Amino acid sequence: MKLLSVIVPCYNEEENVRDFYDELCKNTDFFDKKQIALELLYVDDGSKDKTALEVKKICAEDARVRLVSFSRNFGKEAAIYAGLQKCKGDFAVLMDADLQDPPSLLPQMYSYIEQGYDSVATRRVTRKGEPVIRSFFARMFYRLMNRISRTEIVDGARDYRLMTRQVVDAILAMSEYNRFTKGIFGWVGYETKWLEYENVERRKGETKWSFWKLFLYSLEGIIAFSTAPLTIASVMGVLFCVLAFAMIIFTIVRKLLFDDPTSGWPSLVCIIMMVSGVQLFCLGILGQYLSKTYMEVKKRPIYLVKEEIGEAARDESEREKV
Ligand code: UDP
Ligand code: MG
């Protein structure tokens, strides 16, 4: 019998975990018929509310449900990594707890796996219910990203994705600390089927992403999957050298023809301001890469587990008894 792992990262989702469970259970007939067992793994990403408690209640009712609790909030990327690491399924699917990833798509997704695809991903074709300015910047980000990075990053792609064990292992092999999952999925390759659906608004609670957080996240994505900004810095350096050289020639010629090398103090100040601005900007780019490298070489764990409930935890305790 095959096993399908459903991985659900949760951060302050006490209102949603039960709804998610109920909704998922409504859509499991298909898998029962196919003789595929289910494992539901909630990853509690250091929630400050009663998420863990709610999940524990579900665990007590249903042996297929497991919980991994982090010692603090490590971010969704870390939760995804932990989920993939802890899951035991022959297939794994990543889903949000807020029901923005409709479980009703699962049978269709699985049918593509049966057809031989390695992974089935979803993208939303509309951004209904999202602030206009956010959609605009999101579009800009994807366009820029695909220009400057060789890894394909699909606009509107969600993390809702069904994968075979082979793909899961490939993703786990990328043990980098700065995890930009959307890029990692693209990077590992494999044959991916894209399903499109209309955006569904989150059931309860609020999104964890502020505009500022999204902005920083997009920078992280660019730095993790492209070195183009570094090239831009060098190109700018060359451009300014050429410009300076032209200005030197201009000044010399002016001195020879009109004998006035000192005029133009205001323009001089402007030039100094601008050039030092560009220098700081380029230094900043360098700093970004350096800081990411610094975090990477420290080799800190991606997440820390506080508590584990469910099958895997039981295995471990049994091992201790022996
Ligand atoms: N999430 C998480 N850790 C975080 C932030 C979010 O595990 O630090 C989870 C969250 O509980 C949800 C999913 O990631 O299940 C997506 O979050 P959200 O709905 O806030 O993002 P959006 O759908 O608005 O992109
Ligand atoms: Mg959401």
Side-chain angles (χ1 to χ4, degrees):
M1 201 162 166
K2 295 229 158 137
L3 179 67
L4 169 71
S5 301
V6 180
I7 298 163
V8 189
C10 310
Y11 178 54
N12 296 346
E13 302 278 11
E14 59 178 6
E15 302 164 294
N16 284 320
V17 287
R18 170 67 65 171
D19 288 4
F20 180 86
Y21 173 74
D22 293 341
E23 195 69 31
L24 184 73
C25 287
K26 276 184 213 154
N27 289 283
T28 51
D29 294 350
F30 173 84
F31 293 102
D32 295 341
K33 266 186 225 135
K34 293 241 173 208
Q35 294 264 305
I36 295 169
L38 221 67
E39 164 188 64
L40 174 54
L41 176 57
Y42 284 103
V43 184
D44 168 27
D45 184 11
S47 300
K48 294 190 177 68
D49 63 359
K50 297 200 179 69
T51 302
L53 208 70
E54 288 296 319
V55 174
K56 277 181 203 165
K57 280 186 205 157
I58 308 174
C59 287
E61 291 162 22
D62 190 337
R64 299 173 300 173
V65 183
R66 290 168 57 190
L67 167 70
V68 176
S69 264
F70 286 178
S71 62
R72 64 167 171 85
N73 181 241
F74 281 88
K76 187 182 179 189
E77 312 289 339
I80 289 176
Y81 188 72
L84 291 175
Q85 224 171 25
K86 304 273 176 194
C87 80
K88 296 189 176 156
D90 303 287
F91 313 99
V93 59
L94 299 169
M95 295 174 87
D96 283 2
D98 57 7
L99 286 167
Q100 275 189 304
D101 301 332
S104 52
L105 275 181
L106 279 172
Q108 196 191 352
M109 288 167 87
Y110 184 75
S111 69
Y112 283 110
I113 295 279
E114 278 183 319
Q115 280 173 32
Y117 284 99
D118 301 302
S119 113
V120 184
T122 57
R123 61 184 288 252
R124 47 181 181 178
V125 278
T126 53
R127 286 176 172 272
K128 198 179 66 185
E130 207 187 49
V132 181
I133 184 140
R134 181 175 291 197
S135 307
F136 172 75
F137 277 107
R139 286 226 176 78
M140 292 269 289
F141 167 72
Y142 284 111
R143 210 183 289 162
L144 176 76
M145 196 68 200
N146 283 315
R147 271 250 173 104
I148 63 175
S149 169
R150 281 214 249 146
T151 307
E152 197 200 1
I153 293 165
V154 178
D155 185 4
R158 298 203 41 97
D159 291 333
Y160 187 16
R161 193 181 271 259
L162 177 62
M163 304 165 264
T164 59
R165 175 48 62 179
Q166 195 183 17
V167 180
V168 172
D169 288 341
I171 290 169
L172 289 177
M174 296 180 76
S175 56
E176 59 211 71
Y177 183 79
N178 295 292
R179 302 189 71 77
F180 183 69
T181 310
K182 284 187 202 318
I184 290 175
F185 287 143
W187 194 92
V188 297
Y190 293 100
E191 228 173 308
T192 304
K193 171 78 189 169
W194 285 95
L195 291 183
E196 297 183 347
Y197 70 97
E198 300 258 322
N199 190 29
V200 185
E201 285 186 48
R202 127 191 292 283
R203 187 67 73 88
K204 285 170 188 163
E206 292 221 329
T207 175
K208 313 292 177 303
W209 294 92
S210 62
F211 188 80
W212 178 240
K213 245 180 151 182
L214 272 179
F215 177 72
L216 291 181
Y217 184 61
S218 66
L219 283 190
E220 205 153 291
I222 291 173
I223 290 162
F225 280 90
S226 165
T227 48
L230 289 173
T231 317
I232 293 172
S234 342
V235 169
M236 261 203 264
V238 173
L239 270 181
F240 273 86
C241 281
V242 171
L243 201 69
F245 189 70
M247 271 154 53
I248 290 170
I249 304 277
F250 174 74
T251 316
I252 291 174
V253 170
R254 197 171 53 174
K255 158 80 182 152
L256 292 178
L257 294 184
F258 305 105
D259 198 27
D260 178 23
T262 51
S263 76
W265 188 84
S267 51
L268 191 68
V269 171
C270 294
I271 291 167
I272 290 176
M273 294 294 277
M274 183 178 154
V275 172
S276 46
V278 169
Q279 271 178 354
L280 281 182
F281 175 69
C282 294
L283 211 62
I285 292 179
L286 212 66
Q288 287 294 325
Y289 282 90
L290 188 69
S291 71
K292 295 290 170 204
T293 315
Y294 178 56
M295 291 315 285
E296 212 63 64
V297 294
K298 281 193 188 189
K299 293 225 176 304
R300 284 185 181 160
I302 295 169
Y303 62 89
L304 291 174
V305 173
K306 186 175 78 178
E307 191 180 17
E308 248 185 283
I309 290 175
E311 209 183 313
R314 227 175 290 148
D315 284 351
E316 262 165 47
S317 58
E318 266 164 20
R319 229 176 285 142
E320 273 166 20
K321 265 182 243 155
V322 178

